[in-house]
Amino acid sequence: MTAIRLLLVDDDPLVRTGLSLMMGGAEDIEIVGEAADGGEVEALVDRTRPDVVLMDIRMPSMDGLTATELLRRREDAPQVVVLTTFHADEQVLRALRAGAAGFVLKDTPPAEILDAVRRVAAGDPVLSPTVTRQLMRHAAGTAADTRRARARERIAALNDREREVSVAVGRGLSNAEIATGLYMSVATVKTHVSRILAKLDLNNRVQIALLAYDAELLDDDGH
């Protein structure tokens, strides 16, 4: 089994120590480095080549949001899971828009943090439908008209089937659930998702969901 290479980023040494002890005890996870500030991250990523970065949002010099944006611009970008103390926070939304694959609360039970790292390493976003809806409601208070217009312009590049899949992703459905609802195979759903990501220059399903919400495609009747 190849271990998941994990980089820890948090300005609190006690938090880093706790995470290192907790995560390092798992046989399938290898802690390859630690950073106390977002400004240290890119150099550490170059040196350690992590698969996943567990990133605190609030740090004194360069915050986790800026560090995430810089990382996700790289061709060889690792997956990023942000650490936060809030369920629905504007900075969490900005991190997800920048390409973070999800977030975990700092008081999340250890087993769930381990599960989040494993899921992200496997290519799955760490957002349940319930959390997605909560974030969307928070986004409703922060989304501007210009964001809606921009989102609709981008969505227009999709064909009808891709648009339907985007709406389903935005509703937090799994590939299997989308396949059942749209009468297609799971493999076909995966193909559509890959095409959507490529067409819209997005990193992951979370960004598809946020874009669908911004474009106001997630109304109750599904149109």
Side-chain angles (χ1 to χ4, degrees):
M1 179 194 307
T2 302
I4 299 166
R5 298 174 62 81
L6 179 66
L7 175 63
L8 302 175
V9 185
D10 196 295
D11 65 321
D12 187 334
L14 291 178
V15 171
R16 291 200 311 275
T17 298
L19 288 171
S20 182
L21 289 172
M22 176 182 67
M23 311 297 278
E27 292 183 358
D28 60 337
I29 293 178
E30 177 187 359
I31 308 296
V32 296
E34 297 181 15
D37 188 78
E40 304 170 16
V41 173
E42 282 207 282
L44 265 177
V45 166
D46 285 336
R47 191 158 66 246
T48 63
R49 301 294 178 185
D51 301 304
V52 179
V53 178
L54 197 56
M55 179 92 73
D56 186 22
I57 285 187
R58 292 173 174 82
M59 291 179 283
S61 181
M62 179 185 289
D63 62 26
L65 172 62
T66 303
T68 296
E69 290 173 336
L70 291 173
L71 280 184
R72 295 305 300 174
R73 291 175 190 161
R74 300 164 60 111
E75 291 185 3
D76 58 345
Q79 296 294 334
V80 177
V81 178
V82 294
L83 282 167
T84 181
T85 54
F86 299 100
H87 281 280
D89 179 271
E90 177 61 20
Q91 287 189 307
V92 173
L93 280 167
R94 289 179 61 194
L96 295 174
R97 293 186 193 282
F103 73 93
V104 293
L105 299 178
K106 288 194 173 183
D107 60 358
T108 298
E112 292 184 22
I113 297 180
L114 285 167
D115 180 62
V117 169
R118 291 175 178 130
R119 286 171 55 194
V120 165
D124 297 324
V126 185
L127 283 180
S128 69
T130 300
V131 172
T132 300
R133 286 193 293 271
Q134 185 176 14
L135 282 169
M136 297 309 180
R137 284 196 298 272
H138 185 73
T142 60
D145 290 342
T146 51
R147 178 176 289 162
R148 180 173 58 249
R150 191 180 308 118
R152 288 179 173 178
E153 182 179 349
R154 295 181 71 188
I155 289 289
L158 304 179
N159 61 38
D160 290 344
R161 206 57 161 162
E162 290 164 347
R163 182 186 174 103
E164 289 177 328
V165 171
S166 295
V167 170
V169 170
R171 294 186 186 283
L173 301 182
S174 67
N175 286 341
E177 291 168 333
I178 295 172
T180 299
L182 296 181
Y183 305 103
M184 62 177 73
S185 69
V186 172
T188 301
V189 173
K190 290 180 179 179
T191 298
H192 281 307
V193 170
S194 295
R195 288 175 179 169
I196 293 164
L197 292 172
K199 280 188 177 182
L200 302 183
D201 192 25
L202 301 176
N203 289 299
N204 54 46
R205 295 167 71 100
V206 175
Q207 288 187 320
I208 295 176
L210 290 170
L211 191 66
Y213 185 88
D214 286 344
E216 297 185 343
L217 299 181
L218 306 183
D219 54 355
D220 290 338
D221 63 7
H223 295 300

